[in-house]
Amino acid sequence: MQPSEGKTMGASTPDSVSTKRRRIAKLAKDHPKMVLTNLAHNIDLEWLREAHRLTRKSGAPGIDGRTAEQYAERLDENLRDLLNRVRAGRYVAPAVRRVHIPKAAGETRPIGIPTFEDRILQRAVVMILESVYEQEFLPCSHGFRPGRSAHEALVSLRKLLMERRGGVILEVDIRKFFDTLVHKHLREIVAQRVRDKALTRLIGKWLNAGVLEGGVLSHPEGGTPQGGVISPLLANVYLHEVLDKWFASEVLPRLRGKATLVRYADDFVIVFTNEIDAHRVLEVLPKRFGRYGLQIHPEKTRLMRFSPLVESHQRGQALTPRGFDFLGFNHRWERSRSGCWVVKQQTSKKSLSRAVKAIASWCRLHRHQGLPWQREALIKKLRGHCAYFGLTGNWISLERFRTQLIRAWRKWRCRTSQRREAAARRFFAFLNANPLPPAVAVRSLYRVANA
């Protein structure tokens, strides 16, 4: 999964830009089967200024080393030059700088870092394509869309499970989706709706720009680098065709019972009321994905019954996996305080372990900084963790993270001194005088009700 570059529409959007976007959206909505061939002319200097405003400024620089602050020093001049190169067809997409971030089980996820100017232009193109495709995307898709989020997907899934009292869950993992997405198929899918030569030329340049890693430039035959502004939208367009439309138009009409798809980018689950339906879809899904060059991970894809009855039978069976993981949360049935069965969404073991390891690594790297500075930085990390994982009923996991954070902080802080016992006393004296704030379930329904 990837972070968004910021909201793409807002109250501060210039009138001319927002008017153009509404006009594009209305055209796409009123003519759902029309192939759009004249869109790139909307990109002018004001459009690029808005794209610059929406582009995240804190990202790491690309291969040119140019920061957002340096680019902004001569902003209008830089944007005019960019616009002239785009209109003349002289824009050359620079290679992305690749870094790796840790995942579970010792794996890493490659992240591509475009140059800041490239991110601006990608945002400008996203603003056009998003206006078109938001009229087509289905409600099952929640990832990297205006007004939608992972939390909306989680709420939707929990509501569905509670209403149906569970069901049969098909938990699917696409193997290295962003690395294996086939360029040919992507171009064909985009061409079904958009054939503006200027836009498709830019998309082709970004797909073929290459990756710079360890001083070596390579040109992968497939994939779209995670980290690019346009990558999440292209991924949604791809899976809209491969999965969402296919499931809605071809799969659902052939099922005996009900089934609902919940997708966030390349992560998705399907909830069935009929187990035979679930087995049939599991059998055909790899074939469908294979037609588009994608593979289902056989070890991370599974079917399971998910109901209060199953949970009650699993009591005392330590080897039986309970619930399923989705978007960093483990979903399971638990008894509420009133004794009713409810779906609890708690931080998954993998997510908690990854977060604790990241904190420990941070504390090790910054162990020589002053305690007040460390405290302020760790408070921000604690609040960021609670902002995502702070759902109703997840307080115990949040508090566990806070406890592990303090433990890692103490461990690496005390290693800066040869007299560790004295260092530990100083640390706890500081912490008692300046305690960290409590772990708060920011998105708890109880907090909202009592607000």
Side-chain angles (χ1 to χ4, degrees):
M1 296 174 295
Q2 308 176 68
S4 174
E5 284 279 349
K7 296 180 180 179
T8 55
M9 296 187 73
S12 60
T13 304
D15 290 342
S16 61
V17 175
S18 60
T19 299
K20 288 180 181 179
R21 297 191 67 181
R22 286 194 295 268
R23 188 182 302 121
I24 295 170
K26 186 177 187 305
L27 178 65
K29 184 176 181 179
D30 292 345
H31 304 279
K33 295 184 179 181
M34 177 188 291
V35 177
L36 305 176
T37 60
N38 189 22
L39 296 171
H41 73 276
N42 290 287
I43 300 179
D44 54 16
L45 188 59
E46 190 172 20
W47 190 281
L48 287 179
R49 287 196 188 102
E50 179 64 7
H52 171 267
R53 186 185 72 83
L54 295 169
T55 301
R56 185 163 56 92
K57 311 301 188 295
S58 59
I63 62 171
D64 61 354
R66 202 177 188 184
T67 65
E69 291 77 13
Q70 293 170 336
Y71 196 87
E73 290 175 358
R74 303 167 65 181
L75 181 60
D76 278 0
E77 182 180 338
N78 289 329
L79 292 181
R80 286 192 183 93
D81 178 62
L82 173 61
L83 181 62
N84 290 335
R85 281 180 282 141
V86 170
R87 287 180 170 175
R90 293 185 288 105
Y91 183 79
V92 178
V96 298
R97 181 168 64 88
R98 174 170 285 176
V99 297
H100 292 264
I101 60 175
K103 289 178 61 178
E107 298 179 355
T108 62
R109 173 182 287 120
I111 297 294
I113 303 177
T115 64
F116 183 72
E117 182 176 73
D118 207 31
R119 293 205 294 267
I120 294 174
L121 185 55
Q122 287 189 29
R123 173 57 62 193
V125 173
V126 165
M127 288 162 59
I128 291 179
L129 296 181
E130 191 176 74
S131 301
V132 174
Y133 283 104
E134 275 301 311
Q135 316 312 312
E136 301 192 7
F137 289 156
L138 302 179
C140 63
S141 171
H142 298 270
F144 303 107
R145 295 179 56 190
R148 291 175 175 259
S149 66
H151 294 108
E152 184 187 58
L154 291 165
V155 170
S156 175
L157 178 60
R158 184 179 186 274
K159 181 180 179 181
L160 173 68
L161 294 170
M162 291 287 289
E163 289 176 350
R164 295 185 183 173
R165 303 301 292 166
V168 179
I169 306 295
L170 175 55
E171 182 186 0
V172 182
D173 182 89
I174 306 175
R175 177 177 287 178
K176 296 183 177 180
F177 169 72
F178 283 92
D179 297 331
T180 57
L181 179 151
V182 180
H183 293 172
K184 176 185 175 182
H185 294 317
L186 176 60
R187 292 190 183 95
E188 292 173 349
I189 292 171
V190 171
Q192 294 176 12
R193 195 66 165 116
V194 176
R195 291 183 193 168
D196 185 296
K197 291 183 179 180
L199 295 183
T200 55
R201 188 184 303 118
L202 283 173
I203 292 173
K205 288 181 178 181
W206 286 320
L207 293 176
N208 297 314
V211 175
L212 185 66
E213 182 176 7
V216 178
L217 179 64
S218 61
H219 292 82
E221 295 182 0
T224 176
Q226 296 188 66
V229 180
I230 200 167
S231 293
L233 177 60
L234 294 180
N236 271 337
V237 171
Y238 204 82
L239 287 176
H240 172 70
E241 179 69 26
V242 176
L243 177 62
D244 302 353
K245 283 175 57 178
W246 169 75
F247 184 79
S249 62
E250 298 186 34
V251 175
L252 284 179
R254 292 178 170 85
L255 299 183
R256 300 180 181 182
K258 296 180 180 179
T260 303
L261 168 68
V262 179
R263 180 174 69 82
Y264 185 90
D266 60 325
D267 293 327
F268 69 94
V269 295
I270 307 177
V271 183
F272 297 88
T273 58
N274 185 292
E275 188 170 353
I276 295 177
D277 289 339
H279 283 282
R280 289 172 60 198
V281 172
L282 178 58
E283 181 180 353
V284 74
L285 198 60
K287 300 175 184 177
R288 172 66 180 179
F289 276 55
R291 288 178 54 188
Y292 292 88
L294 304 176
Q295 290 184 331
I296 301 297
H297 201 301
E299 298 176 0
K300 298 181 180 180
T301 299
R302 62 171 181 156
L303 271 177
M304 63 169 295
R305 295 178 182 176
F306 185 76
S307 69
L309 183 62
V310 172
E311 287 291 327
S312 63
H313 288 168
Q314 289 178 354
R315 297 296 186 185
Q317 299 180 20
L319 298 179
T320 303
R322 297 183 58 201
F324 64 96
D325 291 349
F326 182 60
L327 298 182
F329 289 85
N330 179 259
H331 306 254
R332 63 174 67 182
W333 288 101
E334 295 281 1
R335 293 279 190 182
S336 67
R337 293 179 181 178
S338 61
C340 300
W341 284 104
V342 296
V343 176
K344 288 289 185 71
Q345 295 172 313
Q346 299 175 322
T347 310
S348 68
K349 291 182 179 179
K350 289 182 179 179
S351 296
L352 183 59
S353 175
R354 190 184 306 119
V356 170
K357 287 180 179 179
I359 286 294
S361 177
W362 185 92
C363 290
R364 177 179 61 83
L365 292 174
H366 298 87
R367 62 187 182 275
H368 296 295
Q369 298 287 346
L371 280 171
W373 183 90
Q374 290 179 338
R375 177 180 178 274
E376 290 303 314
L378 289 172
I379 287 176
K380 292 180 180 179
K381 293 182 180 297
L382 176 61
R383 287 174 176 167
H385 184 86
C386 292
Y388 183 79
F389 290 101
L391 298 187
T392 305
N394 196 32
W395 180 83
I396 293 177
S397 294
L398 298 178
E399 187 60 31
R400 186 174 297 140
F401 173 77
R402 181 180 181 274
T403 300
Q404 293 296 327
L405 180 150
I406 294 175
R407 184 173 299 173
W409 186 17
R410 176 192 61 79
K411 171 185 174 181
W412 288 105
R413 180 66 190 182
C414 294
R415 285 197 178 188
T416 62
S417 173
Q418 294 181 348
R419 300 179 61 184
R420 295 188 180 181
E421 292 185 4
R425 287 195 296 271
R426 289 194 298 271
F427 173 82
F428 283 113
F430 174 83
L431 189 61
N432 289 334
N434 305 276
L436 294 181
V440 176
V442 177
R443 298 177 181 274
S444 170
L445 295 176
Y446 305 120
R447 287 175 57 84
V448 174
N450 295 327

